């Protein structure tokens, strides 16, 4: 067969195997894995690793925050930055506004994504107003190929436990996965009020205002609700050792519970929020940054299988009046925009500090960065693996390239990981067989990425 493209000489890595083969791509899909293939176009992957492209499963793109502040990245800059970081697909959030129908939310995010994304995408739907009409409408999201929902246990956008149970139940019935931001709202409000009333208002007080206990309590409650509804649940951005233990325990007990953590909890600490002259505001994210023993515990849980995915939680707000200081400079820690960028850093950080430093295997890296997200969010076997018939969503990595982290390709004016020395970078990224990134250059156009309708089959915990 004459292929459109062949990738020659690389070492192929999936979540389960590592082997040498060439890949033949035809009509955007992997047509052949073998030797001596024939193709119109050739990518030489000698001394490179050839892996499924990353799937970024937690990022905020062209989305207003809980306080109404728009992210700096739209689908163009966000997808370009994701691709430069080794991702061939991403799943940002479509966030329902209070009073808005599901159809209106999805239509709005289609408008934001359609002509802009350079890589394939889907959405998780954030539910902030699950009234009766919205719950009745929810099954229509499945028909559209959207099967994951996120709820908050804090912020004005939070749901009650009863509403959470309603959503879990509908998701279970139709084959969907509910994701949760787990922090106890009243504990956070009480701590924040006490701190601000005492005059403790600088960015650094964001950390004590959101204590580990608030996450632990909420994770415990969320798991109980998922057990009651017998419905699958993904606890996103787990940031505490006790929270991770609760996820591990639930999985061992056979509950439908999955966990995610993020690079910021592995590489930064609350000392970063302590930086002078409001610079600490760059490091305000929720849950907040913790400490070194937490980093070590989270790494152990990554290696041991507690977490199915490591996602960036890219929530980009610039260090200016458009972002962090939308409410002014002279305000307390609650009023700075909440989140930090990292969509381009997730995979290089995990490769360098995880694989190169021996904390996780190459196959675990592929599982955590691509395959498990594909399985959880309904894209496997179309995406997330190197198999015949799968989309040719491929990232080719130079495992030896070393760089000092500087500016990224997002629309941000700072990089929280700047200055780190990283070994291993993606050199080529393909989505459906088309070069998106090659040799440091962008090859795709806005709108080349496609919406990928997904369907989800319930998993047992040990399957990711
Ligand atoms: N939760 C997120 O998932 N991202 C940004 C801020 C937040 O609270
Ligand atoms: Zn969250
Ligand atoms: Zn998030």
């Amino acid at each position: 067969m004459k292929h459109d493209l062949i990738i020659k000489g690389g070492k192929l890595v999936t979540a389960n195997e590592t082997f040498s083969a060439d890949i033949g791509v035809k009509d955007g899909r992997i047509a052949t894995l073998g030797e001596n293939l024939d193709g119109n176009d050739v990518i030489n992957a000698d001394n490179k690793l050839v892996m499924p492209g990353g799937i970024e499963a937690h990022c905020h793109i062209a989305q207003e925050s809980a306080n109404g502040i728009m992210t700096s990245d739209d689908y163009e800059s966000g997808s370009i930055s994701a691709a430069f970081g080794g991702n061939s697909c991403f799943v940002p959030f479509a966030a329902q506004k209070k009073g808005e129908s599901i159809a209106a939310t999805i239509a709005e995010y289609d408008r934001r994504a359609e002509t802009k994304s350079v890589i394939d995408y889907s959405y998780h739907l954030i539910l902030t107003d699950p009234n009766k009409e919205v719950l009745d409408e929810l099954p229509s999201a499945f028909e559209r190929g959207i099967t994951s929902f996120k709820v908050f246990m804090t912020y004005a956008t939070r749901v009650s436990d009863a509403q959470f149970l309603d959503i879990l139940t509908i998701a279970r019935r139709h084959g969907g996965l509910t994701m949760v931001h787990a922090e106890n709202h009243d504990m956070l409000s009480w701590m924040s009020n006490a701190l601000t009333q005492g005059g403790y208002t600088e960015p650094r007080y964001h950390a004590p205002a959101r204590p580990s206990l608030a996450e632990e309590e909420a994770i415990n409650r969320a798991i109980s609700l998922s057990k009651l509804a017998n419905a699958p649940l993904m606890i996103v951005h787990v940031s505490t050792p006790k929270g991770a233990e609760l996820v591990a325990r639930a999985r061992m007990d056979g509950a439908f519970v999955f966990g995610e953590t993020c690079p910021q909890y592995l590489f930064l600490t609350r000392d970063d929020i302590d930086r002078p002259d409001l610079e600490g505001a760059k490091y305000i994210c929720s849950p907040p940054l913790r400490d070194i023993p937490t980093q070590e515990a989270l790494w152990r849980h990554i290696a041991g299988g507690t977490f199915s995915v490591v996602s960036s939680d890219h929530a980009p707000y610039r260090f200016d009046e458009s972002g962090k200081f939308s409410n002014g400079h002279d305000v307390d820690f609650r009023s700075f925009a909440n989140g930090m960028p990292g969509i381009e850093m997730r995979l290089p950080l995990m490769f360098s500090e995880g694989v190169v430093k021996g904390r996780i295997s190459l196959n675990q890296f592929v599982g955590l960065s691509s395959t498990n997200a594909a399985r959880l969010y309904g894209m496997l076997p179309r995406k997330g693996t190197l198999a015949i018939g799968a989309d040719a969503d491929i990232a080719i990595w130079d495992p030896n390239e070393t760089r000092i982290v500087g500016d990224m390709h997002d629309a941000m004016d700072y990089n929280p990981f700047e200055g780190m020395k990283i070994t291993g970078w993606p050199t080529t990224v393909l989505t459906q067989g088309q070069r998106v990134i090659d040799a440091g250059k962008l090859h795709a156009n806005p709108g080349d990425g496609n919406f990928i309708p997904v369907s989800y089959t319930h998993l047992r915990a040990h399957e990711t």
Side-chain angles (χ1 to χ4, degrees), residues 357-398:
K357 295 237 167 114
R359 291 177 169 120
I360 54 172
S361 71
L362 258 179
N363 307 95
Q364 280 179 300
F365 171 80
V366 172
L368 290 161
S369 62
S370 179
T371 314
N372 291 344
R375 190 178 280 124
L376 284 163
Y377 300 116
M379 293 184 179
L380 203 72
R382 178 166 179 189
K383 295 190 184 289
T385 192
L386 302 176
I388 290 169
D391 283 357
D393 281 24
I394 294 168
I396 303 175
W397 284 63
D398 180 343

Side-chain angles (χ1 to χ4, degrees), residues 6-257:
I6 56 175
I7 301 171
K8 264 180 88 68
K11 192 200 274 185
L12 275 52
V13 189
T14 70
N16 295 312
E17 296 100 9
T18 306
F19 57 102
S20 293
D22 299 342
I23 297 182
V25 176
K26 181 109 184 121
D27 299 330
R29 298 193 170 206
I30 296 175
T32 313
L33 298 172
E35 288 175 333
N36 304 319
L37 307 182
D38 192 15
N40 292 324
D41 187 7
V42 179
I43 295 178
N44 185 338
D46 284 346
N47 304 316
K48 304 260 174 67
L49 299 173
V50 179
M51 305 193 262
I55 298 176
E56 170 60 70
H58 184 156
C59 55
H60 303 268
I61 305 291
Q63 184 200 327
E64 294 88 352
S65 70
N67 296 332
I69 306 165
M70 183 52 104
T71 56
S72 66
D73 280 308
D74 63 8
Y75 273 78
E76 184 174 335
S77 61
S79 64
I80 290 172
S81 187
F84 271 102
N87 298 286
S88 54
C89 180
F90 65 166
V91 191
F93 294 95
Q96 181 204 20
K97 296 200 173 106
K98 292 229 183 233
E100 191 174 60
S101 69
I102 302 291
T105 304
I106 295 174
E108 176 59 24
Y109 278 84
D110 282 345
R111 203 184 56 71
R112 294 179 187 190
E114 239 157 37
T115 57
K116 299 220 162 190
S117 188
V118 301
I119 58 175
D120 286 356
Y121 60 94
S122 176
Y123 317 118
H124 312 294
L125 195 57
I126 293 181
L127 295 170
T128 60
D129 192 6
N131 57 46
K132 178 155 180 348
E133 293 82 61
V134 167
L135 292 176
D136 287 345
E137 195 192 355
L138 206 44
S140 67
F142 293 90
E143 284 153 32
R144 169 63 204 272
I146 295 170
T147 64
S148 43
F149 310 104
K150 182 180 179 192
V151 297
F152 292 94
M153 297 171 84
T154 184
Y155 304 124
T157 48
R158 69 190 176 281
V159 297
S160 69
D161 289 354
Q163 290 172 321
F164 194 169
L165 282 166
D166 284 338
I167 292 165
L168 282 163
T169 305
I170 294 172
R172 183 203 59 200
R173 198 172 293 145
H174 292 269
L177 176 61
T178 307
M179 310 159 77
V180 63
H181 175 126
E183 287 185 291
N184 176 306
H185 182 74
D186 284 352
M187 287 165 89
L188 305 185
S189 304
W190 188 82
M191 287 295 290
S192 299
N193 288 338
L195 285 161
T196 50
Q197 279 161 19
Y200 303 102
T201 57
E202 292 119 286
R204 73 173 67 129
Y205 295 106
H206 174 76
R210 304 181 87 110
S212 302
L213 269 174
E215 177 176 283
E216 291 158 33
E217 188 286 324
I219 289 180
N220 191 42
R221 184 157 35 103
I223 290 172
S224 301
L225 297 174
S226 127
K227 286 181 175 169
L228 182 62
N230 190 25
L233 178 65
M234 164 60 81
I235 321 263
V236 299
H237 52 45
V238 175
S239 69
T240 56
K242 288 251 172 64
E245 279 165 32
L246 288 165
V247 174
R249 176 84 252 160
R251 287 166 65 79
M252 271 191 289
D253 289 346
F256 273 135
V257 170

